[in-house]
Amino acid sequence: MRTIRVGLGERAYDAVIGRGLLERAGELIAAVAPDARAVVVTDETVEALHRERIRLPQSAGDAVLEPGEQTKSFDRLAWLCERLSDLGLGRRDLVVAIGGGVIGDLAGFAAAIYMRGIGYVQIPTTLLAQVDSSIGGKTAIDTAWGKNLVGAFHQPRLVLADLDALDTLPDRQMRSGLAEVLKYGLLGDAGLFGWLAENGRAVLDRDPAALEHAVARSVEMKAEIVAADEHETTGRRAVLNLGHTFGHALEAETGLGDALSHGEAVAIGCAMAFRFSAAESLCPPSDARRVEEVIGSTGLPTRLEQASGAPFAADALLARMAHDKKADAGLGLILARRIGEAFLAKGVEPATLRRFLVAEGALS
Ligand SMILES: NC(=O)c1ccc[n+]([C@@H]2O[C@H](COP(=O)([O-])OP(=O)(O)OC[C@H]3O[C@@H](n4cnc5c(N)ncnc54)[C@H](O)[C@@H]3O)[C@@H](O)[C@H]2O)c1
Ligand SMILES: [Zn+2]
């Protein structure tokens, strides 16, 4: 069991990584909120697979939602707030989110606004949620005009990442989560990236030691970056979006469905960010080639043409990138100086980017 502190002053909390944590959730939650009643928020899939492993001494009931991104909606948010109220949840009580990033984002946002904000605990059950979405306090729902555009910063009181929960996760979801782990290596830890080149497959195969290292190192990196820039005001936290501006454009063009998962889009986006950095002479071309080779070796895509729906129009991708919420103030893009060192490049010229997209196979 590993405990990583997210150092945010009076909002600081622990992220615990280990096995058998679902069974111990009651005791671990009681240690941070002794008298709180709790409502478990989960989805039908996770409920069927894992709900019975969790016993909360002061359970006030469950709120169970449909699995899938469409659950991050105004409609489900309203339903959830009403459900919390029906179950009698008060200001000192807790929301306990058990599931992937969808449940964590929705339940966290409900906790942020219900009675002007109550506490919540994250129990992430996908690799993506364990290494990324459960840490850092970004909560949100999607709207008709874009993903994650209505939300709040609201830090959890505790995060419990139980590696046993990943035993039931489909392989494609594991690979999608691995893309975010690769991202951490690329943006800030060449040693992690080198380790993944050797052990990426072992992580996918759920080798216990490899899995624990991948999750713990990712959480450690995210915790450090979030502690340095909680509300994404200095640019430090922005590097977490490496591969995401390209990736979000691709996800939007492919329809935000099963055709391309978030992690697959991020994998292509990271490879593109390195190739673009190399094309702009910011980073050695040999690093861009190595990024592509290592990502590809885990079975993740690295090229536009591997995304279903390809070829894409360069102008369509460019318009999506300009609208990405992370692209404020000109075209902000996370680029790299080398493997393990990403930075926020401001004012990237759309014409330069357009030429690059065409060179990557987008339609002119
Ligand atoms: N808040 C943040 O900082 C942040 C960061 C990254 C991503 N996100 C958000 O996270 C969401 C994606 O998260 P996700 O990839 O976890 O998707 P998800 O929550 O939709 O989970 C994927 C699928 O796996 C199922 N599932 C969950 N745990 C399982 C398990 N242990 N075994 C079997 N099936 C399981 C779910 O029911 C769902 O069908 C997106 O909405 C994204 O915007 C948020
Ligand atoms: Zn992501």
Side-chain angles (χ1 to χ4, degrees):
M1 190 166 110
R2 296 262 320 260
T3 300
I4 293 160
R5 187 83 176 154
V6 185
L8 287 166
E10 60 183 17
R11 290 183 301 288
Y13 53 95
D14 285 340
V16 185
I17 297 141
R19 296 195 175 264
L21 296 179
L22 291 182
E23 287 78 359
R24 292 188 53 202
E27 144 211 353
L28 293 166
I29 292 171
V32 297
D35 301 317
R37 296 171 72 242
V39 168
V40 165
V41 180
T42 189
D43 71 27
E44 287 156 5
T45 304
V46 177
E47 180 193 37
L49 292 167
H50 298 291
R51 177 65 183 92
E52 67 177 16
R53 294 176 52 201
I54 299 166
R55 296 238 150 59
L56 301 178
Q58 307 227 51
S59 174
D62 288 9
V64 184
L65 294 127
E66 267 179 45
E69 185 72 28
Q70 72 283 353
T71 284
K72 275 173 61 173
S73 67
F74 275 116
D75 176 67
R76 294 294 86 195
L77 175 69
W79 176 86
L80 179 54
C81 289
E82 276 171 34
R83 177 96 181 128
L84 298 180
S85 174
D86 287 347
L87 294 171
L89 220 60
R91 289 232 44 195
R92 304 191 163 278
D93 294 332
L94 276 183
V95 166
V96 177
I98 306 172
V102 163
I103 288 300
D105 278 16
L106 175 76
F109 188 35
I113 59 176
Y114 179 74
M115 293 187 162
R116 298 194 182 85
I118 66 171
Y120 76 114
V121 170
Q122 291 271 24
I123 306 188
T125 62
T126 65
L127 181 58
L128 181 136
Q130 295 193 351
V131 300
D132 191 352
S133 63
S134 64
I135 311 286
K138 277 191 181 178
T139 72
I141 56 169
D142 303 332
T143 68
W145 63 93
K147 262 190 74 162
N148 295 328
L149 288 184
V150 170
F153 284 101
H154 187 47
Q155 300 292 344
R157 301 277 299 277
L158 177 69
V159 180
L160 301 176
D162 187 343
L163 303 173
D164 286 338
L166 303 179
D167 285 347
T168 57
L169 195 67
D171 290 345
R172 191 174 173 202
Q173 296 278 350
M174 282 296 290
R175 197 169 283 117
S176 201
L178 183 67
E180 303 282 2
V181 183
L182 287 158
K183 177 196 78 174
Y184 287 113
L186 291 173
L187 71 87
D189 184 354
L192 173 63
F193 189 75
W195 180 84
L196 286 166
E198 302 297 320
N199 298 284
R201 286 276 167 189
V203 175
L204 292 176
D205 291 342
R206 299 166 178 81
D207 170 82
L211 193 55
E212 181 176 322
H213 179 69
V215 174
R217 182 62 191 133
S218 300
V219 169
E220 206 171 69
M221 285 184 71
K222 183 148 187 190
E224 188 199 317
I225 292 169
V226 166
D229 183 17
E230 184 179 6
H231 299 120
E232 204 166 319
T233 45
T234 68
R236 176 90 171 97
R237 187 167 178 160
V239 297
L240 292 171
N241 295 324
L242 175 64
H244 281 63
T245 304
F246 287 116
H248 286 153
L250 273 173
E251 278 185 280
E253 281 298 289
T254 52
L256 291 171
D258 280 344
L260 189 72
S261 77
H262 176 70
E264 288 158 358
V266 167
I268 296 174
C270 285
M272 286 178 76
F274 270 81
R275 287 196 295 269
F276 185 64
S277 301
E280 294 299 297
S281 304
L282 296 164
C283 135
S286 56
D287 275 23
R289 283 194 297 273
R290 172 145 171 86
V291 169
E292 188 170 339
E293 178 201 326
V294 172
I295 294 178
S297 76
T298 66
L300 284 160
T302 56
R303 294 266 170 188
L304 278 183
E305 73 241 25
Q306 289 170 277
S308 75
F312 306 97
D315 287 328
L317 290 175
L318 208 54
R320 300 275 192 194
M321 291 179 72
H323 279 115
D324 194 75
K325 70 174 191 298
K326 280 119 191 176
D328 51 331
L331 227 150
L333 204 52
I334 309 303
L335 298 179
R337 293 200 179 84
R338 60 181 68 83
I339 290 172
E341 191 180 338
F343 67 100
L344 171 61
K346 289 183 178 153
V348 175
E349 281 294 329
T352 312
L353 198 51
R354 192 177 190 287
R355 268 197 305 281
F356 169 73
L357 290 171
V358 172
E360 288 278 303
L363 300 175
S364 183

